[in-house]
Amino acid sequence: MSDENLISAQEMIMTAFTNIERAQIEQNNALLKSWKFTVQSIKSNAKNGENLGMNLYSHSRVVDLKNEILLVECDHPGWIQTLRLYQKYILTGLRRGIPDTKISSLAFRLRGTNAELHIEISEEKIRSEMQSKIEKEDEVIRKFDEEKNESVISGEQQKPKNSAEKKEMPENLQRILDRLKADMLTNGE
């Protein structure tokens, strides 16, 4: 192995952290501190003196913040349910603790799952999908109009494809149906 292929640890670290902005790190630290303070401030009504906030904090952690949604990971579904009970309180505490960071709601995932916040959809993708749907619908409408115009020009009288021709009902079946109809209309009186 030659010396020209070796990279110093300092170079690796500098390369890895060049894209991280200091302001973003400070904002994330403020978010984590506010999360800890807010969740630990939750008090329990239990008579045994259990500190619910400390338990909630120790069993949960902030994972991500995207599109004003804070993703929180918990190690048991019971902790997720308890955090949901205090969601309004937590959101208020976070907004007060870090007013310059907008958080509109909380999302939860169970530790060990790979759920992530992927809400970012490009406008171009949405626009192209909508355009293709509109083109397909326009094609269907155009074909329908062409078929209708051809039938009017040729003088055809078109019946709906699913309509059945009116057929005579057997006489005994007609009497039974008439009796049922009369019974239902008079409510058996």
Side-chain angles (χ1 to χ4, degrees), residues 7-130:
I7 300 174
S8 70
Q10 179 183 3
E11 288 178 29
M12 286 192 312
I13 292 172
M14 292 303 287
T15 303
F17 291 107
T18 54
N19 294 330
I20 299 175
E21 296 179 20
R22 184 175 182 85
Q24 185 68 32
I25 292 173
E26 290 174 358
Q27 181 181 10
N28 290 342
N29 285 339
L31 174 63
L32 294 175
K33 286 179 185 176
S34 184
W35 171 261
K36 180 179 181 178
F37 177 78
T38 303
V39 172
Q40 285 184 345
S41 69
I42 296 173
K43 301 296 181 213
S44 173
N45 292 332
K47 295 183 181 185
N48 63 1
E50 176 187 15
N51 190 337
L52 180 62
M54 293 292 281
N55 286 335
L56 283 171
Y57 178 73
S58 66
H59 292 279
S60 65
R61 72 182 183 100
V62 173
V63 177
D64 198 2
L65 174 64
K66 280 186 185 173
N67 300 328
E68 299 181 11
I69 301 172
L70 185 67
L71 179 61
V72 178
E73 182 179 76
C74 295
D75 57 9
H76 190 275
W79 295 117
I80 293 174
Q81 189 64 32
T82 306
L83 284 169
R84 281 193 177 128
L85 290 172
Y86 291 99
Q87 185 168 346
K88 187 174 180 180
Y89 175 84
I90 293 169
L91 286 172
T92 303
L94 291 174
R95 288 180 189 135
R96 287 181 183 167
I98 43 173
D100 49 326
T101 303
K102 295 197 183 281
I103 301 173
S104 61
S105 66
L106 300 176
F108 300 96
R109 79 174 184 195
L110 194 58
R111 186 167 289 150
T113 59
N114 295 342
E116 295 182 16
L117 297 174
H118 287 291
I119 301 174
E120 299 175 24
I121 300 174
S122 69
E123 289 182 29
E124 187 61 36
K125 182 179 178 183
I126 293 171
R127 189 174 291 121
S128 67
E129 288 175 358
M130 292 299 288

Side-chain angles (χ1 to χ4, degrees), residues 158-172:
Q158 277 192 333
K159 295 179 184 176
K161 293 179 181 176
N162 293 333
S163 69
E165 293 181 20
K166 188 170 182 173
K167 295 182 180 179
E168 289 294 321
M169 193 178 305
E171 192 175 312
N172 58 351

Side-chain angles (χ1 to χ4, degrees), residues 171-182:
E171 192 175 312
N172 58 351
L173 182 60
Q174 185 63 44
R175 281 186 297 212
I176 293 171
L177 290 175
D178 288 340
R179 239 182 299 139
L180 280 171
K181 184 177 177 183

Side-chain angles (χ1 to χ4, degrees), residues 147-159:
E147 290 173 4
K148 187 175 179 183
N149 288 338
E150 287 175 9
S151 68
V152 169
I153 291 172
S154 66
E156 294 177 6
Q157 196 111 29
Q158 277 192 333
K159 295 179 184 176

